[in-house]
Amino acid sequence: LIEPRLIEEVSVDAPVPDLPVEWEGETIALFGDIQLGMWLGNSDTARRIVRRVVERRPAAALIAGDFVYHPLEDDGPAEAVEEFGAE
């Protein structure tokens, strides 16, 4: 009941060989394990994550796996698009 609503934020410096000069010092946001459509709902957590990412204004935002909890249910993918398209 609690874990799906926890947001763990970690900053890591990652040197990238041959990175184009225009990307020097830029930030990339990576988030995952959102599991939209999970029982008891966790849309509020997805919205909090999106707000945090938008506030930090990264050069790019990447979404890792476990994005939708029940991909075969009609509302799972639609809810995901709605939540992340709003910002």
Side-chain angles (χ1 to χ4, degrees):
L1 295 174
I2 295 171
E3 185 180 344
R5 289 175 173 69
L6 294 177
I7 299 174
E8 180 181 353
E9 189 171 328
V10 178
S11 294
V12 177
D13 288 331
V16 179
D18 301 320
L19 185 70
V21 174
E22 54 273 5
W23 279 91
E24 288 283 335
E26 291 292 343
T27 299
I28 305 291
L30 171 67
F31 54 97
D33 204 19
I34 306 299
Q35 303 213 22
L36 285 168
M38 189 173 186
W39 47 269
L40 297 179
N42 59 342
S43 297
D44 56 328
T45 304
R47 285 199 260 335
R48 287 180 23 232
I49 292 169
V50 170
R51 278 195 297 272
R52 283 188 187 191
V53 170
V54 169
E55 287 170 2
R56 284 155 180 75
R57 303 186 52 77
L62 309 173
I63 303 172
D66 290 341
F67 185 56
V68 178
Y69 189 67
H70 289 295
L72 300 179
E73 289 185 10
D74 290 339
D75 61 345
E79 180 185 353
V81 170
E82 182 179 315
E83 293 302 331
F84 289 95
E87 298 290 328

mmCIF file with all atom_site columns, all heavy atoms in Angstrom, residues 4-5 7 34-51 75-76 78-80 82-84:
data_model
loop_
_atom_site.group_PDB
_atom_site.id
_atom_site.type_symbol
_atom_site.label_atom_id
_atom_site.label_alt_id
_atom_site.label_comp_id
_atom_site.label_asym_id
_atom_site.label_entity_id
_atom_site.label_seq_id
_atom_site.pdbx_PDB_ins_code
_atom_site.Cartn_x
_atom_site.Cartn_y
_atom_site.Cartn_z
_atom_site.occupancy
_atom_site.B_iso_or_equiv
_atom_site.pdbx_formal_charge
_atom_site.auth_seq_id
_atom_site.auth_comp_id
_atom_site.auth_asym_id
_atom_site.auth_atom_id
_atom_site.pdbx_PDB_model_num
ATOM 1   N N   . PRO A 1 4  ? 4.071  1.696  -3.663  1.00 0.00 ? 4  PRO A N   1
ATOM 2   C CA  . PRO A 1 4  ? 3.755  2.300  -4.964  1.00 0.00 ? 4  PRO A CA  1
ATOM 3   C C   . PRO A 1 4  ? 3.687  3.822  -4.935  1.00 0.00 ? 4  PRO A C   1
ATOM 4   O O   . PRO A 1 4  ? 3.697  4.460  -5.968  1.00 0.00 ? 4  PRO A O   1
ATOM 5   C CB  . PRO A 1 4  ? 2.385  1.716  -5.305  1.00 0.00 ? 4  PRO A CB  1
ATOM 6   C CG  . PRO A 1 4  ? 2.302  0.467  -4.524  1.00 0.00 ? 4  PRO A CG  1
ATOM 7   C CD  . PRO A 1 4  ? 3.057  0.744  -3.252  1.00 0.00 ? 4  PRO A CD  1
ATOM 8   N N   . ARG A 1 5  ? 3.639  4.410  -3.770  1.00 0.00 ? 5  ARG A N   1
ATOM 9   C CA  . ARG A 1 5  ? 3.549  5.859  -3.667  1.00 0.00 ? 5  ARG A CA  1
ATOM 10  C C   . ARG A 1 5  ? 4.864  6.526  -3.259  1.00 0.00 ? 5  ARG A C   1
ATOM 11  O O   . ARG A 1 5  ? 4.947  7.735  -3.144  1.00 0.00 ? 5  ARG A O   1
ATOM 12  C CB  . ARG A 1 5  ? 2.440  6.227  -2.692  1.00 0.00 ? 5  ARG A CB  1
ATOM 13  C CG  . ARG A 1 5  ? 1.084  5.924  -3.308  1.00 0.00 ? 5  ARG A CG  1
ATOM 14  C CD  . ARG A 1 5  ? -0.056 6.147  -2.366  1.00 0.00 ? 5  ARG A CD  1
ATOM 15  N NE  . ARG A 1 5  ? -1.332 6.010  -3.044  1.00 0.00 ? 5  ARG A NE  1
ATOM 16  C CZ  . ARG A 1 5  ? -1.833 4.882  -3.509  1.00 0.00 ? 5  ARG A CZ  1
ATOM 17  N NH1 . ARG A 1 5  ? -1.164 3.761  -3.398  1.00 0.00 ? 5  ARG A NH1 1
ATOM 18  N NH2 . ARG A 1 5  ? -3.009 4.846  -4.095  1.00 0.00 ? 5  ARG A NH2 1
ATOM 19  N N   . ILE A 1 7  ? 8.616  7.825  -3.786  1.00 0.00 ? 7  ILE A N   1
ATOM 20  C CA  . ILE A 1 7  ? 9.445  8.303  -4.887  1.00 0.00 ? 7  ILE A CA  1
ATOM 21  C C   . ILE A 1 7  ? 10.864 8.406  -4.355  1.00 0.00 ? 7  ILE A C   1
ATOM 22  O O   . ILE A 1 7  ? 11.138 9.139  -3.408  1.00 0.00 ? 7  ILE A O   1
ATOM 23  C CB  . ILE A 1 7  ? 8.976  9.684  -5.395  1.00 0.00 ? 7  ILE A CB  1
ATOM 24  C CG1 . ILE A 1 7  ? 7.549  9.592  -5.923  1.00 0.00 ? 7  ILE A CG1 1
ATOM 25  C CG2 . ILE A 1 7  ? 9.933  10.186 -6.477  1.00 0.00 ? 7  ILE A CG2 1
ATOM 26  C CD1 . ILE A 1 7  ? 6.955  10.935 -6.297  1.00 0.00 ? 7  ILE A CD1 1
ATOM 27  N N   . ILE A 1 34 ? 6.521  2.923  -12.641 1.00 0.00 ? 34 ILE A N   1
ATOM 28  C CA  . ILE A 1 34 ? 5.353  3.759  -12.356 1.00 0.00 ? 34 ILE A CA  1
ATOM 29  C C   . ILE A 1 34 ? 4.128  2.885  -12.095 1.00 0.00 ? 34 ILE A C   1
ATOM 30  O O   . ILE A 1 34 ? 3.352  3.147  -11.199 1.00 0.00 ? 34 ILE A O   1
ATOM 31  C CB  . ILE A 1 34 ? 5.061  4.707  -13.545 1.00 0.00 ? 34 ILE A CB  1
ATOM 32  C CG1 . ILE A 1 34 ? 6.295  5.523  -13.904 1.00 0.00 ? 34 ILE A CG1 1
ATOM 33  C CG2 . ILE A 1 34 ? 3.875  5.598  -13.249 1.00 0.00 ? 34 ILE A CG2 1
ATOM 34  C CD1 . ILE A 1 34 ? 6.817  6.405  -12.816 1.00 0.00 ? 34 ILE A CD1 1
ATOM 35  N N   . GLN A 1 35 ? 3.938  1.879  -12.908 1.00 0.00 ? 35 GLN A N   1
ATOM 36  C CA  . GLN A 1 35 ? 2.839  0.920  -12.789 1.00 0.00 ? 35 GLN A CA  1
ATOM 37  C C   . GLN A 1 35 ? 1.466  1.582  -12.698 1.00 0.00 ? 35 GLN A C   1
ATOM 38  O O   . GLN A 1 35 ? 0.697  1.348  -11.781 1.00 0.00 ? 35 GLN A O   1
ATOM 39  C CB  . GLN A 1 35 ? 3.089  -0.018 -11.611 1.00 0.00 ? 35 GLN A CB  1
ATOM 40  C CG  . GLN A 1 35 ? 4.409  -0.713 -11.787 1.00 0.00 ? 35 GLN A CG  1
ATOM 41  C CD  . GLN A 1 35 ? 4.459  -2.111 -11.252 1.00 0.00 ? 35 GLN A CD  1
ATOM 42  O OE1 . GLN A 1 35 ? 3.449  -2.754 -11.101 1.00 0.00 ? 35 GLN A OE1 1
ATOM 43  N NE2 . GLN A 1 35 ? 5.652  -2.581 -10.998 1.00 0.00 ? 35 GLN A NE2 1
ATOM 44  N N   . LEU A 1 36 ? 1.184  2.443  -13.673 1.00 0.00 ? 36 LEU A N   1
ATOM 45  C CA  . LEU A 1 36 ? -0.146 3.053  -13.747 1.00 0.00 ? 36 LEU A CA  1
ATOM 46  C C   . LEU A 1 36 ? -1.190 1.972  -13.948 1.00 0.00 ? 36 LEU A C   1
ATOM 47  O O   . LEU A 1 36 ? -0.973 0.998  -14.637 1.00 0.00 ? 36 LEU A O   1
ATOM 48  C CB  . LEU A 1 36 ? -0.207 4.049  -14.901 1.00 0.00 ? 36 LEU A CB  1
ATOM 49  C CG  . LEU A 1 36 ? 0.499  5.356  -14.628 1.00 0.00 ? 36 LEU A CG  1
ATOM 50  C CD1 . LEU A 1 36 ? 0.647  6.142  -15.905 1.00 0.00 ? 36 LEU A CD1 1
ATOM 51  C CD2 . LEU A 1 36 ? -0.236 6.152  -13.582 1.00 0.00 ? 36 LEU A CD2 1
ATOM 52  N N   . GLY A 1 37 ? -2.322 2.151  -13.333 1.00 0.00 ? 37 GLY A N   1
ATOM 53  C CA  . GLY A 1 37 ? -3.398 1.180  -13.433 1.00 0.00 ? 37 GLY A CA  1
ATOM 54  C C   . GLY A 1 37 ? -3.343 0.144  -12.329 1.00 0.00 ? 37 GLY A C   1
ATOM 55  O O   . GLY A 1 37 ? -4.128 -0.799 -12.288 1.00 0.00 ? 37 GLY A O   1
ATOM 56  N N   . MET A 1 38 ? -2.446 0.323  -11.375 1.00 0.00 ? 38 MET A N   1
ATOM 57  C CA  . MET A 1 38 ? -2.306 -0.608 -10.260 1.00 0.00 ? 38 MET A CA  1
ATOM 58  C C   . MET A 1 38 ? -3.521 -0.500 -9.338  1.00 0.00 ? 38 MET A C   1
ATOM 59  O O   . MET A 1 38 ? -4.128 0.562  -9.214  1.00 0.00 ? 38 MET A O   1
ATOM 60  C CB  . MET A 1 38 ? -1.028 -0.253 -9.494  1.00 0.00 ? 38 MET A CB  1
ATOM 61  C CG  . MET A 1 38 ? -0.622 -1.220 -8.463  1.00 0.00 ? 38 MET A CG  1
ATOM 62  S SD  . MET A 1 38 ? 1.005  -0.704 -7.855  1.00 0.00 ? 38 MET A SD  1
ATOM 63  C CE  . MET A 1 38 ? 1.349  -2.068 -6.812  1.00 0.00 ? 38 MET A CE  1
ATOM 64  N N   . TRP A 1 39 ? -3.857 -1.597 -8.661  1.00 0.00 ? 39 TRP A N   1
ATOM 65  C CA  . TRP A 1 39 ? -4.974 -1.579 -7.731  1.00 0.00 ? 39 TRP A CA  1
ATOM 66  C C   . TRP A 1 39 ? -4.782 -0.462 -6.714  1.00 0.00 ? 39 TRP A C   1
ATOM 67  O O   . TRP A 1 39 ? -3.668 -0.092 -6.384  1.00 0.00 ? 39 TRP A O   1
ATOM 68  C CB  . TRP A 1 39 ? -5.151 -2.935 -7.032  1.00 0.00 ? 39 TRP A CB  1
ATOM 69  C CG  . TRP A 1 39 ? -3.867 -3.505 -6.508  1.00 0.00 ? 39 TRP A CG  1
ATOM 70  C CD1 . TRP A 1 39 ? -3.008 -4.336 -7.168  1.00 0.00 ? 39 TRP A CD1 1
ATOM 71  C CD2 . TRP A 1 39 ? -3.260 -3.257 -5.239  1.00 0.00 ? 39 TRP A CD2 1
ATOM 72  N NE1 . TRP A 1 39 ? -1.922 -4.620 -6.384  1.00 0.00 ? 39 TRP A NE1 1
ATOM 73  C CE2 . TRP A 1 39 ? -2.053 -3.974 -5.185  1.00 0.00 ? 39 TRP A CE2 1
ATOM 74  C CE3 . TRP A 1 39 ? -3.626 -2.510 -4.137  1.00 0.00 ? 39 TRP A CE3 1
ATOM 75  C CZ2 . TRP A 1 39 ? -1.205 -3.953 -4.089  1.00 0.00 ? 39 TRP A CZ2 1
ATOM 76  C CZ3 . TRP A 1 39 ? -2.774 -2.488 -3.039  1.00 0.00 ? 39 TRP A CZ3 1
ATOM 77  C CH2 . TRP A 1 39 ? -1.592 -3.207 -3.023  1.00 0.00 ? 39 TRP A CH2 1
ATOM 78  N N   . LEU A 1 40 ? -5.858 0.073  -6.236  1.00 0.00 ? 40 LEU A N   1
ATOM 79  C CA  . LEU A 1 40 ? -5.908 1.211  -5.319  1.00 0.00 ? 40 LEU A CA  1
ATOM 80  C C   . LEU A 1 40 ? -5.419 2.509  -5.962  1.00 0.00 ? 40 LEU A C   1
ATOM 81  O O   . LEU A 1 40 ? -5.317 3.519  -5.305  1.00 0.00 ? 40 LEU A O   1
ATOM 82  C CB  . LEU A 1 40 ? -5.125 0.949  -4.025  1.00 0.00 ? 40 LEU A CB  1
ATOM 83  C CG  . LEU A 1 40 ? -5.641 -0.179 -3.159  1.00 0.00 ? 40 LEU A CG  1
ATOM 84  C CD1 . LEU A 1 40 ? -4.749 -0.342 -1.930  1.00 0.00 ? 40 LEU A CD1 1
ATOM 85  C CD2 . LEU A 1 40 ? -7.078 0.069  -2.716  1.00 0.00 ? 40 LEU A CD2 1
ATOM 86  N N   . GLY A 1 41 ? -5.119 2.478  -7.235  1.00 0.00 ? 41 GLY A N   1
ATOM 87  C CA  . GLY A 1 41 ? -4.747 3.682  -7.983  1.00 0.00 ? 41 GLY A CA  1
ATOM 88  C C   . GLY A 1 41 ? -3.466 4.330  -7.507  1.00 0.00 ? 41 GLY A C   1
ATOM 89  O O   . GLY A 1 41 ? -3.196 4.399  -6.314  1.00 0.00 ? 41 GLY A O   1
ATOM 90  N N   . ASN A 1 42 ? -2.676 4.780  -8.416  1.00 0.00 ? 42 ASN A N   1
ATOM 91  C CA  . ASN A 1 42 ? -1.452 5.499  -8.071  1.00 0.00 ? 42 ASN A CA  1
ATOM 92  C C   . ASN A 1 42 ? -1.194 6.635  -9.057  1.00 0.00 ? 42 ASN A C   1
ATOM 93  O O   . ASN A 1 42 ? -0.062 7.032  -9.269  1.00 0.00 ? 42 ASN A O   1
ATOM 94  C CB  . ASN A 1 42 ? -0.255 4.542  -7.979  1.00 0.00 ? 42 ASN A CB  1
ATOM 95  C CG  . ASN A 1 42 ? -0.006 3.803  -9.272  1.00 0.00 ? 42 ASN A CG  1
ATOM 96  O OD1 . ASN A 1 42 ? -0.891 3.733  -10.116 1.00 0.00 ? 42 ASN A OD1 1
ATOM 97  N ND2 . ASN A 1 42 ? 1.176  3.258  -9.442  1.00 0.00 ? 42 ASN A ND2 1
ATOM 98  N N   . SER A 1 43 ? -2.260 7.160  -9.642  1.00 0.00 ? 43 SER A N   1
ATOM 99  C CA  . SER A 1 43 ? -2.128 8.279  -10.573 1.00 0.00 ? 43 SER A CA  1
ATOM 100 C C   . SER A 1 43 ? -1.526 9.493  -9.893  1.00 0.00 ? 43 SER A C   1
ATOM 101 O O   . SER A 1 43 ? -0.797 10.266 -10.507 1.00 0.00 ? 43 SER A O   1
ATOM 102 C CB  . SER A 1 43 ? -3.484 8.650  -11.176 1.00 0.00 ? 43 SER A CB  1
ATOM 103 O OG  . SER A 1 43 ? -3.988 7.580  -11.917 1.00 0.00 ? 43 SER A OG  1
ATOM 104 N N   . ASP A 1 44 ? -1.840 9.680  -8.608  1.00 0.00 ? 44 ASP A N   1
ATOM 105 C CA  . ASP A 1 44 ? -1.295 10.813 -7.869  1.00 0.00 ? 44 ASP A CA  1
ATOM 106 C C   . ASP A 1 44 ? 0.234  10.759 -7.831  1.00 0.00 ? 44 ASP A C   1
ATOM 107 O O   . ASP A 1 44 ? 0.906  11.773 -7.957  1.00 0.00 ? 44 ASP A O   1
ATOM 108 C CB  . ASP A 1 44 ? -1.872 10.879 -6.457  1.00 0.00 ? 44 ASP A CB  1
ATOM 109 C CG  . ASP A 1 44 ? -1.653 9.594  -5.657  1.00 0.00 ? 44 ASP A CG  1
ATOM 110 O OD1 . ASP A 1 44 ? -1.635 8.504  -6.262  1.00 0.00 ? 44 ASP A OD1 1
ATOM 111 O OD2 . ASP A 1 44 ? -1.519 9.684  -4.420  1.00 0.00 ? 44 ASP A OD2 1
ATOM 112 N N   . THR A 1 45 ? 0.790  9.565  -7.693  1.00 0.00 ? 45 THR A N   1
ATOM 113 C CA  . THR A 1 45 ? 2.246  9.416  -7.672  1.00 0.00 ? 45 THR A CA  1
ATOM 114 C C   . THR A 1 45 ? 2.824  9.760  -9.040  1.00 0.00 ? 45 THR A C   1
ATOM 115 O O   . THR A 1 45 ? 3.840  10.449 -9.133  1.00 0.00 ? 45 THR A O   1
ATOM 116 C CB  . THR A 1 45 ? 2.641  7.978  -7.280  1.00 0.00 ? 45 THR A CB  1
ATOM 117 O OG1 . THR A 1 45 ? 2.044  7.670  -6.030  1.00 0.00 ? 45 THR A OG1 1
ATOM 118 C CG2 . THR A 1 45 ? 4.149  7.838  -7.181  1.00 0.00 ? 45 THR A CG2 1
ATOM 119 N N   . ALA A 1 46 ? 2.196  9.314  -10.104 1.00 0.00 ? 46 ALA A N   1
ATOM 120 C CA  . ALA A 1 46 ? 2.665  9.635  -11.457 1.00 0.00 ? 46 ALA A CA  1
ATOM 121 C C   . ALA A 1 46 ? 2.661  11.146 -11.666 1.00 0.00 ? 46 ALA A C   1
ATOM 122 O O   . ALA A 1 46 ? 3.619  11.703 -12.217 1.00 0.00 ? 46 ALA A O   1
ATOM 123 C CB  . ALA A 1 46 ? 1.791  8.949  -12.496 1.00 0.00 ? 46 ALA A CB  1
ATOM 124 N N   . ARG A 1 47 ? 1.619  11.817 -11.212 1.00 0.00 ? 47 ARG A N   1
ATOM 125 C CA  . ARG A 1 47 ? 1.551  13.269 -11.351 1.00 0.00 ? 47 ARG A CA  1
ATOM 126 C C   . ARG A 1 47 ? 2.675  13.957 -10.559 1.00 0.00 ? 47 ARG A C   1
ATOM 127 O O   . ARG A 1 47 ? 3.267  14.928 -11.024 1.00 0.00 ? 47 ARG A O   1
ATOM 128 C CB  . ARG A 1 47 ? 0.193  13.795 -10.911 1.00 0.00 ? 47 ARG A CB  1
ATOM 129 C CG  . ARG A 1 47 ? -0.907 13.526 -11.927 1.00 0.00 ? 47 ARG A CG  1
ATOM 130 C CD  . ARG A 1 47 ? -2.106 14.396 -11.724 1.00 0.00 ? 47 ARG A CD  1
ATOM 131 N NE  . ARG A 1 47 ? -3.293 13.985 -11.061 1.00 0.00 ? 47 ARG A NE  1
ATOM 132 C CZ  . ARG A 1 47 ? -3.826 12.780 -10.872 1.00 0.00 ? 47 ARG A CZ  1
ATOM 133 N NH1 . ARG A 1 47 ? -3.188 11.724 -11.281 1.00 0.00 ? 47 ARG A NH1 1
ATOM 134 N NH2 . ARG A 1 47 ? -4.963 12.601 -10.275 1.00 0.00 ? 47 ARG A NH2 1
ATOM 135 N N   . ARG A 1 48 ? 2.961  13.447 -9.365  1.00 0.00 ? 48 ARG A N   1
ATOM 136 C CA  . ARG A 1 48 ? 4.042  14.017 -8.554  1.00 0.00 ? 48 ARG A CA  1
ATOM 137 C C   . ARG A 1 48 ? 5.390  13.854 -9.261  1.00 0.00 ? 48 ARG A C   1
ATOM 138 O O   . ARG A 1 48 ? 6.221  14.764 -9.257  1.00 0.00 ? 48 ARG A O   1
ATOM 139 C CB  . ARG A 1 48 ? 4.084  13.359 -7.173  1.00 0.00 ? 48 ARG A CB  1
ATOM 140 C CG  . ARG A 1 48 ? 2.947  13.806 -6.285  1.00 0.00 ? 48 ARG A CG  1
ATOM 141 C CD  . ARG A 1 48 ? 2.915  13.183 -4.880  1.00 0.00 ? 48 ARG A CD  1
ATOM 142 N NE  . ARG A 1 48 ? 4.152  12.687 -4.364  1.00 0.00 ? 48 ARG A NE  1
ATOM 143 C CZ  . ARG A 1 48 ? 4.317  11.446 -3.871  1.00 0.00 ? 48 ARG A CZ  1
ATOM 144 N NH1 . ARG A 1 48 ? 3.315  10.579 -3.855  1.00 0.00 ? 48 ARG A NH1 1
ATOM 145 N NH2 . ARG A 1 48 ? 5.473  11.072 -3.380  1.00 0.00 ? 48 ARG A NH2 1
ATOM 146 N N   . ILE A 1 49 ? 5.593  12.693 -9.864  1.00 0.00 ? 49 ILE A N   1
ATOM 147 C CA  . ILE A 1 49 ? 6.844  12.448 -10.594 1.00 0.00 ? 49 ILE A CA  1
ATOM 148 C C   . ILE A 1 49 ? 6.966  13.402 -11.773 1.00 0.00 ? 49 ILE A C   1
ATOM 149 O O   . ILE A 1 49 ? 8.011  14.023 -11.980 1.00 0.00 ? 49 ILE A O   1
ATOM 150 C CB  . ILE A 1 49 ? 6.929  10.983 -11.064 1.00 0.00 ? 49 ILE A CB  1
ATOM 151 C CG1 . ILE A 1 49 ? 7.090  10.063 -9.848  1.00 0.00 ? 49 ILE A CG1 1
ATOM 152 C CG2 . ILE A 1 49 ? 8.079  10.789 -12.053 1.00 0.00 ? 49 ILE A CG2 1
ATOM 153 C CD1 . ILE A 1 49 ? 6.914  8.593  -10.164 1.00 0.00 ? 49 ILE A CD1 1
ATOM 154 N N   . VAL A 1 50 ? 5.908  13.539 -12.540 1.00 0.00 ? 50 VAL A N   1
ATOM 155 C CA  . VAL A 1 50 ? 5.934  14.435 -13.701 1.00 0.00 ? 50 VAL A CA  1
ATOM 156 C C   . VAL A 1 50 ? 6.216  15.867 -13.252 1.00 0.00 ? 50 VAL A C   1
ATOM 157 O O   . VAL A 1 50 ? 7.049  16.562 -13.852 1.00 0.00 ? 50 VAL A O   1
ATOM 158 C CB  . VAL A 1 50 ? 4.611  14.355 -14.494 1.00 0.00 ? 50 VAL A CB  1
ATOM 159 C CG1 . VAL A 1 50 ? 4.537  15.457 -15.535 1.00 0.00 ? 50 VAL A CG1 1
ATOM 160 C CG2 . VAL A 1 50 ? 4.472  12.991 -15.148 1.00 0.00 ? 50 VAL A CG2 1
ATOM 161 N N   . ARG A 1 51 ? 5.577  16.316 -12.182 1.00 0.00 ? 51 ARG A N   1
ATOM 162 C CA  . ARG A 1 51 ? 5.825  17.679 -11.679 1.00 0.00 ? 51 ARG A CA  1
ATOM 163 C C   . ARG A 1 51 ? 7.297  17.864 -11.299 1.00 0.00 ? 51 ARG A C   1
ATOM 164 O O   . ARG A 1 51 ? 7.904  18.882 -11.621 1.00 0.00 ? 51 ARG A O   1
ATOM 165 C CB  . ARG A 1 51 ? 4.928  17.985 -10.483 1.00 0.00 ? 51 ARG A CB  1
ATOM 166 C CG  . ARG A 1 51 ? 3.537  18.428 -10.875 1.00 0.00 ? 51 ARG A CG  1
ATOM 167 C CD  . ARG A 1 51 ? 2.791  19.059 -9.717  1.00 0.00 ? 51 ARG A CD  1
ATOM 168 N NE  . ARG A 1 51 ? 2.573  18.138 -8.612  1.00 0.00 ? 51 ARG A NE  1
ATOM 169 C CZ  . ARG A 1 51 ? 1.526  17.321 -8.486  1.00 0.00 ? 51 ARG A CZ  1
ATOM 170 N NH1 . ARG A 1 51 ? 0.593  17.307 -9.402  1.00 0.00 ? 51 ARG A NH1 1
ATOM 171 N NH2 . ARG A 1 51 ? 1.413  16.522 -7.448  1.00 0.00 ? 51 ARG A NH2 1
ATOM 172 N N   . ASP A 1 75 ? -8.022 0.693  -19.836 1.00 0.00 ? 75 ASP A N   1
ATOM 173 C CA  . ASP A 1 75 ? -7.691 2.023  -19.353 1.00 0.00 ? 75 ASP A CA  1
ATOM 174 C C   . ASP A 1 75 ? -6.220 2.223  -18.993 1.00 0.00 ? 75 ASP A C   1
ATOM 175 O O   . ASP A 1 75 ? -5.774 3.342  -18.825 1.00 0.00 ? 75 ASP A O   1
ATOM 176 C CB  . ASP A 1 75 ? -8.560 2.402  -18.161 1.00 0.00 ? 75 ASP A CB  1
ATOM 177 C CG  . ASP A 1 75 ? -8.357 1.458  -16.981 1.00 0.00 ? 75 ASP A CG  1
ATOM 178 O OD1 . ASP A 1 75 ? -7.777 0.377  -17.173 1.00 0.00 ? 75 ASP A OD1 1
ATOM 179 O OD2 . ASP A 1 75 ? -8.789 1.809  -15.869 1.00 0.00 ? 75 ASP A OD2 1
ATOM 180 N N   . GLY A 1 76 ? -5.424 1.168  -18.875 1.00 0.00 ? 76 GLY A N   1
ATOM 181 C CA  . GLY A 1 76 ? -4.021 1.308  -18.478 1.00 0.00 ? 76 GLY A CA  1
ATOM 182 C C   . GLY A 1 76 ? -3.206 2.191  -19.394 1.00 0.00 ? 76 GLY A C   1
ATOM 183 O O   . GLY A 1 76 ? -2.703 3.236  -18.985 1.00 0.00 ? 76 GLY A O   1
ATOM 184 N N   . ALA A 1 78 ? -4.158 4.183  -21.828 1.00 0.00 ? 78 ALA A N   1
ATOM 185 C CA  . ALA A 1 78 ? -4.802 5.490  -22.003 1.00 0.00 ? 78 ALA A CA  1
ATOM 186 C C   . ALA A 1 78 ? -4.531 6.382  -20.799 1.00 0.00 ? 78 ALA A C   1
ATOM 187 O O   . ALA A 1 78 ? -4.254 7.574  -20.938 1.00 0.00 ? 78 ALA A O   1
ATOM 188 C CB  . ALA A 1 78 ? -6.299 5.321  -22.217 1.00 0.00 ? 78 ALA A CB  1
ATOM 189 N N   . GLU A 1 79 ? -4.595 5.796  -19.602 1.00 0.00 ? 79 GLU A N   1
ATOM 190 C CA  . GLU A 1 79 ? -4.315 6.571  -18.383 1.00 0.00 ? 79 GLU A CA  1
ATOM 191 C C   . GLU A 1 79 ? -2.871 7.063  -18.398 1.00 0.00 ? 79 GLU A C   1
ATOM 192 O O   . GLU A 1 79 ? -2.588 8.196  -18.027 1.00 0.00 ? 79 GLU A O   1
ATOM 193 C CB  . GLU A 1 79 ? -4.560 5.699  -17.145 1.00 0.00 ? 79 GLU A CB  1
ATOM 194 C CG  . GLU A 1 79 ? -4.285 6.413  -15.844 1.00 0.00 ? 79 GLU A CG  1
ATOM 195 C CD  . GLU A 1 79 ? -4.420 5.513  -14.633 1.00 0.00 ? 79 GLU A CD  1
ATOM 196 O OE1 . GLU A 1 79 ? -4.861 4.353  -14.768 1.00 0.00 ? 79 GLU A OE1 1
ATOM 197 O OE2 . GLU A 1 79 ? -4.076 5.982  -13.546 1.00 0.00 ? 79 GLU A OE2 1
ATOM 198 N N   . ALA A 1 80 ? -1.967 6.218  -18.847 1.00 0.00 ? 80 ALA A N   1
ATOM 199 C CA  . ALA A 1 80 ? -0.550 6.592  -18.895 1.00 0.00 ? 80 ALA A CA  1
ATOM 200 C C   . ALA A 1 80 ? -0.336 7.769  -19.830 1.00 0.00 ? 80 ALA A C   1
ATOM 201 O O   . ALA A 1 80 ? 0.359  8.725  -19.478 1.00 0.00 ? 80 ALA A O   1
ATOM 202 C CB  . ALA A 1 80 ? 0.274  5.395  -19.345 1.00 0.00 ? 80 ALA A CB  1
ATOM 203 N N   . GLU A 1 82 ? -2.513 9.995  -20.708 1.00 0.00 ? 82 GLU A N   1
ATOM 204 C CA  . GLU A 1 82 ? -3.163 11.159 -20.105 1.00 0.00 ? 82 GLU A CA  1
ATOM 205 C C   . GLU A 1 82 ? -2.292 11.765 -19.008 1.00 0.00 ? 82 GLU A C   1
ATOM 206 O O   . GLU A 1 82 ? -2.088 12.973 -18.960 1.00 0.00 ? 82 GLU A O   1
ATOM 207 C CB  . GLU A 1 82 ? -4.512 10.745 -19.523 1.00 0.00 ? 82 GLU A CB  1
ATOM 208 C CG  . GLU A 1 82 ? -5.279 11.903 -18.915 1.00 0.00 ? 82 GLU A CG  1
ATOM 209 C CD  . GLU A 1 82 ? -6.614 11.450 -18.368 1.00 0.00 ? 82 GLU A CD  1
ATOM 210 O OE1 . GLU A 1 82 ? -7.313 10.685 -19.064 1.00 0.00 ? 82 GLU A OE1 1
ATOM 211 O OE2 . GLU A 1 82 ? -6.936 11.852 -17.247 1.00 0.00 ? 82 GLU A OE2 1
ATOM 212 N N   . GLU A 1 83 ? -1.751 10.938 -18.133 1.00 0.00 ? 83 GLU A N   1
ATOM 213 C CA  . GLU A 1 83 ? -0.934 11.435 -17.018 1.00 0.00 ? 83 GLU A CA  1
ATOM 214 C C   . GLU A 1 83 ? 0.331  12.117 -17.497 1.00 0.00 ? 83 GLU A C   1
ATOM 215 O O   . GLU A 1 83 ? 0.706  13.167 -16.997 1.00 0.00 ? 83 GLU A O   1
ATOM 216 C CB  . GLU A 1 83 ? -0.558 10.289 -16.071 1.00 0.00 ? 83 GLU A CB  1
ATOM 217 C CG  . GLU A 1 83 ? -1.711 9.680  -15.324 1.00 0.00 ? 83 GLU A CG  1
ATOM 218 C CD  . GLU A 1 83 ? -2.479 10.684 -14.472 1.00 0.00 ? 83 GLU A CD  1
ATOM 219 O OE1 . GLU A 1 83 ? -1.899 11.677 -13.996 1.00 0.00 ? 83 GLU A OE1 1
ATOM 220 O OE2 . GLU A 1 83 ? -3.689 10.472 -14.298 1.00 0.00 ? 83 GLU A OE2 1
ATOM 221 N N   . PHE A 1 84 ? 1.026  11.532 -18.454 1.00 0.00 ? 84 PHE A N   1
ATOM 222 C CA  . PHE A 1 84 ? 2.301  12.080 -18.867 1.00 0.00 ? 84 PHE A CA  1
ATOM 223 C C   . PHE A 1 84 ? 2.192  13.080 -19.990 1.00 0.00 ? 84 PHE A C   1
ATOM 224 O O   . PHE A 1 84 ? 3.132  13.801 -20.274 1.00 0.00 ? 84 PHE A O   1
ATOM 225 C CB  . PHE A 1 84 ? 3.270  10.959 -19.215 1.00 0.00 ? 84 PHE A CB  1
ATOM 226 C CG  . PHE A 1 84 ? 3.707  10.224 -17.974 1.00 0.00 ? 84 PHE A CG  1
ATOM 227 C CD1 . PHE A 1 84 ? 3.062  9.077  -17.566 1.00 0.00 ? 84 PHE A CD1 1
ATOM 228 C CD2 . PHE A 1 84 ? 4.727  10.730 -17.203 1.00 0.00 ? 84 PHE A CD2 1
ATOM 229 C CE1 . PHE A 1 84 ? 3.437  8.432  -16.410 1.00 0.00 ? 84 PHE A CE1 1
ATOM 230 C CE2 . PHE A 1 84 ? 5.113  10.102 -16.047 1.00 0.00 ? 84 PHE A CE2 1
ATOM 231 C CZ  . PHE A 1 84 ? 4.461  8.933  -15.645 1.00 0.00 ? 84 PHE A CZ  1
#
